[in-house]
Amino acid sequence: MGDEQAGIRRLEILGALAALLAYFAIRCRYLAIDYFVDEAENLAGGRLIAEGYTLYHDFFSHHFPFPYWWLAAVFKLFGPSVFSARFSLLALEVVAWALVMRLVGRVWPLALSLVVWGFVEYFYWGHMAIYYSFSRIGFFVPFALVFFAPGAELSRIRTRLIIWAFTVMAIAADPFMVLPLGLVHLRWLIRRRNLRPYGRELAIALAASGLGVAILAALGTFSVAGLFNDAIVFNLLVYRKYAPAFADPPGGWVRNLATGLELFDGRWLNPDLLSPLDVDGASRRLFTGFFFRLAVLAAAIGLLVAGRVTDGLGLYVVSAALLARMPEFFHIGLFVVVSLLAAALLAAGHLGRLPGAVVGTGLRVLMAAGLAWLAFRTGPVLADPALGDQHRQMVSWFESDARVAERLTCGRADVALGDYPGGIYLNFVTG
């Protein structure tokens, strides 16, 4: 029996390594593909901080600071480039998934969902160093550990530290993560059944975060007053009036709860399984937007039927919160990751059983087929040799604009030109 268990463990380790390597290879395919203005803000801001400028004081941003700090550190160590920024994000994600596989132990479903996410990720700008990418990684680790790790693992100090560290990272990248992460931590508290140790850890996490903020402010990386004015007051009083993702997240959460995650919304009922995919309409297919929601709902029902009521309800309300701001586009990348994991767990038979053997077997086959179809339909897009043409064209434009800027400044170091918001990449490339 011991030899058999050791053999299974070796296979799981090999499977985890194979999945991480496959994901790494897929992601390397599109490290130099496309641009997006939110990423440009992080790149330019990270470079400015690395050069001694102060976020929210010397330059404006309505985003939270973690991506700027991360990229400033990366640029200090490896130089400012789109490659170093995106590669650092890839490295962070590989480490995060490796931790989850190691601590949760459900290697095969995690490995499958990771590889499929690698194929799908491009359509949700997951390869870019935007703040959604950092909040996605920061959320996923606590979510996966709290919902799926064994109880003994959650009691270990190292696992609790990992949960708190990634929680802080997610909120420091995107304050709207407070709702879904708050729900995850509520589930964690229910599993622990003891409020006092959790309260101590929360106090320590808040104190450590406050100390970190004080140190970073003292180092001149950002202004605390500026953070309040630019990233809080501006968003509440100005940005939310015209940005759908900021308009009414609580209302979106309630709507998702009441409508089954808007499963039957006409936007994702396109039955054409062979229609071409693009970034703007990636979720508007039966095998994308509809399948993602179906996987989460089926997983939640499976958990409820299996008697894991808190887990089933928790998965549902957390998923509704992840969709609260926007029901599609790059905003739902984190929901896609959760749904892919739910589909993989169902396909592997790890999330309880629906009534009837036929229904259960049919659901497993459907989930496996859905994951395979996603990889089949997205793989050719990533294999297209023309995929990087836009990236190369924009690089040539930036280089041309940079030469114009150099002529206009007469080569003087004390003269700077700005073009906001469209020219942020130019600022980053030229300094």
Side-chain angles (χ1 to χ4, degrees), residues 97-109:
W97 278 82
L99 283 173
V100 169
M101 288 181 182
R102 171 66 179 84
L103 301 178
V104 170
R106 304 187 187 208
V107 171
W108 299 115

Side-chain angles (χ1 to χ4, degrees), residues 150-168:
E153 185 60 56
L154 284 177
S155 67
R156 296 182 177 180
I157 294 177
R158 67 172 186 189
T159 305
R160 300 202 303 270
L161 285 174
I162 289 170
I163 291 174
W164 284 111
F166 278 89
T167 295
V168 170

Side-chain angles (χ1 to χ4, degrees), residues 100-101 103-107 109-110 113 139-154 163 184 187 191 299-300 303 308 311-312 314-315 319 337-343 345-346 350-352:
V100 169
M101 288 181 182
L103 301 178
V104 170
R106 304 187 187 208
V107 171
L110 283 164
S113 58
F139 172 90
F140 179 71
V141 173
F143 166 78
L145 293 178
V146 168
F147 275 82
F148 303 117
E153 185 60 56
L154 284 177
I163 291 174
V184 169
R187 177 68 193 99
R191 288 194 69 175
L303 289 168
R308 297 172 58 183
D311 282 331
L315 177 62
S319 298
V337 173
V338 171
S339 69
L340 294 177
L341 177 57
L345 288 165
L346 283 167
H350 285 208
L351 283 187

